[in-house]
Amino acid sequence: MESVQAIKQRFGIIGNDVKLNRAIEKAIQVAPTDISVLITGESGVGKEALPKIIHSLSHRKHGKFIAVNCGAIPEGTIDSELFGHEKGAFTGATQTRSGYFEEADGGTVFLDEVGELPLTTQVRLLRVLENGEFLKVGSSKTQKTDVRIVAATNINMFEAIKKEKFREDLYYRLSTVEIYLPPLRERKDDIHLLFRKFASDFAQKYKMPTIRLEEAAIQLLLKYRWAGNVRQLRNIAEQVSVLEQNRTISYDTLKSYLPDAGSNLPAVIKHTKSDSDFSSEREILYKILFDMKSDLNDLKKLTMELMKDDSNGEKVQKENKTLINKIYGEESEIDYANTEDEDVMEILQVEHQKSLPEPPQEKEDKYHFAEEIQEEETLSLQDKELELIKKALERNKGKRKAAASELGISERTLYRKIKQYDL
Ligand SMILES: Nc1ncnc2c1ncn2[C@@H]1O[C@H](COP(=O)(O)OP(=O)(O)OP(=O)(O)O)[C@@H](O)[C@H]1O
Ligand SMILES: [Mg+2]
């Protein structure tokens, strides 16, 4: 039995991906039998090489190999193409004609795009598969043929069956063995290999030096979705090879050839997703920290109020000087005169702001000694808080109520933050 490597060489198949090798191995194994094979996989993955491999490794190799593109033949003529017709079977049928199944007797018929076959043709095909019998169009005389059928499709056959576009019994007949070729994006290690091969082929063809990809461009190649698989990769390699003067291809140059490169990068999307997962996790943590900081400040304020209102306030202060210093800072002193009601202050500030924007330094919280925690990490926390607020406002198109509820803070607090950050 010929090795997978030898077959790849013989049929010009590039790649070392395990799944690709497995598919070729399966084709080699099934080739000597007469089992029907269905090759599946997205468009452009390289399905067409497999029926040829199967035929050439079978005992039918000296027989005919007829490839029929079922999707390209009009519905009105497909039965006649496949099974032939009798003279006078329809207008224009001036003489009897044999179809592909008769022609390929002793050989292989490759039904490409088999999912496109009309239902009536599917019935005829089922019969051939069951007992090798068929009828020419316009004839009632059963004929026999000895044909091995290999079919291929890039559509989801289960969907087609569900939509009653494809007969389930025929599907099971055709797919006694199914060979699946995975999309190119799942064969990452083969992408650059294929590109280099195509680039070298096109350089030869167009008599130009071979293009070479910069590292970032290689990464882009690997991340791209390749919806058109190897066919698309080949086209891109050809375009770049022909059109680019500079034979060293940068990320940006390559990107300009890739349709939807921005939105069509699963790896990048995945990356962004995990990044955003991470950042949303971080956001949650930051939010918890802000909430804690805000709770702490509220507690400080509350304590302050209590100490202020409490007739024993001064006594409490004296007795807890160390603790108070620890919480409010060494220099802190409770400014009784300045501990007005926060709401009143806020309203005043709102009105004041309406008529005359305040310079940022004047927007100090009256409990500045409680708020002014100057550690660097707090500053970066503030940056993050600012970022969160900006994002929430953006997401909610500036609607503060919605933004506040998203941030889990009151509208009033949000307003205070907006002023604090001069937003
Ligand atoms: N592994 C490969 N090595 C070299 N060339 C390949 C490989 N796979 C595919 N190709 C090339 O890519 C192109 C598309 O492959 P092919 O025609 O087999 O696609 P397909 O799977 O039949 O797609 P469709 O479903 O659209 O018919 C062809 O030119 C083929 O030679
Ligand atoms: Mg094809």
Side-chain angles (χ1 to χ4, degrees):
M1 201 186 277
E2 250 180 288
S3 74
V4 172
Q5 284 311 323
I7 289 294
K8 282 200 278 195
Q9 213 159 7
R10 174 135 77 106
F11 289 87
I13 300 171
I14 311 296
N16 288 312
D17 181 86
V18 194
K19 284 179 241 162
L20 173 72
N21 286 347
R22 181 73 200 110
I24 296 168
E25 205 175 80
K26 240 175 150 176
I28 297 172
Q29 284 171 331
V30 82
T33 71
D34 271 342
I35 294 174
S36 309
V37 182
L38 179 66
I39 299 149
T40 57
E42 287 180 15
S43 179
V45 287
K47 295 187 291 297
E48 263 158 60
L50 295 182
K52 289 178 196 155
I53 296 174
I54 293 170
H55 175 74
S56 65
L57 297 182
S58 73
H59 63 87
R60 297 168 179 273
K61 65 182 174 200
H62 300 299
K64 278 190 182 160
F65 174 82
I66 297 181
V68 187
N69 186 339
C70 305
I73 304 172
E75 198 170 329
T77 56
I78 192 151
D79 282 359
S80 154
E81 293 275 336
L82 292 175
F83 307 103
H85 62 254
E86 285 296 338
K87 186 177 174 181
F90 48 85
T91 325
T94 50
Q95 48 190 298
T96 302
R97 182 186 174 276
S98 54
Y100 301 135
F101 276 94
E102 193 174 339
E103 293 278 314
D105 196 4
T108 307
V109 169
F110 168 36
L111 296 173
D112 203 0
E113 295 190 39
V114 74
E116 304 296 323
L117 277 182
L119 282 164
T120 48
T121 315
Q122 290 179 31
V123 181
R124 285 174 181 270
L125 182 59
L126 189 63
R127 192 163 172 199
V128 179
L129 276 158
E130 274 168 353
N131 49 26
E133 286 179 2
F134 68 95
L135 290 172
K136 273 195 171 99
V137 177
S139 167
S140 52
K141 200 174 110 222
T142 305
Q143 283 184 248
K144 273 236 166 213
T145 187
D146 170 27
V147 165
R148 201 253 185 96
I149 295 173
V150 181
T153 183
N154 58 28
I155 66 161
N156 183 334
M157 292 299 264
F158 292 109
E159 282 286 307
I161 292 167
K162 220 164 78 184
K163 288 183 187 158
E164 297 186 346
K165 286 189 173 165
F166 206 86
R167 292 179 65 107
E168 194 172 4
D169 47 5
L170 178 60
Y171 167 76
Y172 287 112
R173 276 274 174 191
L174 285 173
S175 62
T176 313
V177 166
E178 187 169 328
I179 303 179
Y180 170 70
L181 272 174
L184 186 59
R185 61 186 162 279
E186 287 175 21
R187 294 185 252 159
K188 288 258 182 273
D189 290 343
D190 288 353
I191 298 178
H192 192 209
L193 196 68
L194 277 158
F195 189 89
R196 286 205 305 268
K197 171 72 171 83
F198 294 142
S200 142
D201 289 352
F202 290 122
Q204 254 185 338
K205 183 174 171 187
Y206 298 111
K207 300 188 173 45
M208 293 164 99
T210 310
I211 49 164
R212 195 187 63 79
L213 297 180
E214 282 179 0
E215 185 50 40
I218 297 174
Q219 292 311 315
L220 175 62
L221 205 69
L222 303 186
K223 283 172 186 166
Y224 189 62
R225 194 172 187 276
W226 299 113
N229 294 290
V230 186
R231 184 181 289 121
Q232 188 188 9
L233 182 76
R234 194 171 179 273
N235 288 347
I236 299 289
E238 181 164 24
Q239 286 176 42
V240 181
S241 295
V242 172
L243 300 172
E244 286 306 312
Q245 296 276 314
N246 183 350
R247 308 305 281 172
T248 303
I249 310 301
S250 68
Y251 174 94
D252 286 333
T253 305
L254 180 63
K255 194 165 179 243
S256 68
Y257 284 87
L258 303 177
D260 270 344
S263 59
N264 214 6
L265 299 169
V268 166
I269 288 164
K270 212 172 143 221
H271 181 69
T272 316
K273 194 180 174 295
S274 67
D275 215 359
S276 84
D277 282 353
F278 175 61
S279 79
S280 67
E281 217 171 84
R282 239 184 358 195
E283 282 185 12
I284 291 166
L285 285 172
Y286 278 127
K287 203 171 147 347
I288 292 170
L289 282 173
F290 300 143
D291 290 350
M292 277 171 65
K293 191 187 143 206
S294 158
D295 286 352
L296 190 67
N297 284 338
D298 287 347
L299 272 171
K300 285 178 184 177
K301 287 170 195 172
L302 185 68
T303 320
M304 187 77 68
E305 293 292 329
L306 286 171
M307 286 195 286
K308 186 193 87 179
D309 289 344
D310 188 350
S311 50
N312 287 328
E314 279 186 57
K315 191 172 158 241
V316 171
Q317 270 198 75
K318 264 183 209 150
E319 284 172 4
N320 296 287
K321 205 167 184 354
T322 326
L323 193 62
I324 290 169
N325 281 345
K326 192 176 161 223
I327 299 171
Y328 298 108
E330 291 285 335
E331 304 306 320
S332 68
E333 255 181 48
I334 299 167
D335 182 358
Y336 291 96
N338 240 344
T339 51
E340 299 155 48
D341 180 48
E342 193 193 9
D343 285 355
V344 176
M345 275 293 285
E346 289 239 2
I347 293 160
L348 285 175
Q349 282 184 350
V350 174
E351 282 169 359
H352 181 57
Q353 182 125 18
K354 265 186 206 155
S355 53
L356 187 77
E358 289 175 53
Q361 67 269 25
E362 285 176 27
K363 290 186 214 161
E364 240 176 6
D365 193 284
K366 60 186 185 287
Y367 298 108
H368 66 279
F369 50 85
E371 296 261 21
E372 248 179 39
I373 302 167
Q374 295 272 351
E375 284 95 11
E376 252 180 20
E377 59 203 343
T378 312
L379 279 178
S380 84
L381 273 182
Q382 281 176 342
D383 288 344
K384 288 290 163 193
E385 187 182 44
L386 173 64
E387 200 180 294
L388 277 183
I389 291 170
K390 273 184 179 167
K391 273 192 201 164
L393 285 167
E394 262 168 40
R395 272 195 293 265
N396 292 288
K397 302 193 170 63
K399 286 185 188 134
R400 287 184 188 165
K401 197 168 179 180
S405 99
E406 190 185 292
L407 288 163
I409 55 176
S410 69
E411 219 181 331
R412 194 162 57 85
T413 311
L414 177 61
Y415 182 77
R416 190 155 52 85
K417 297 281 178 197
I418 289 171
K419 279 196 293 155
Q420 180 189 335
Y421 291 118
D422 203 19
L423 283 171

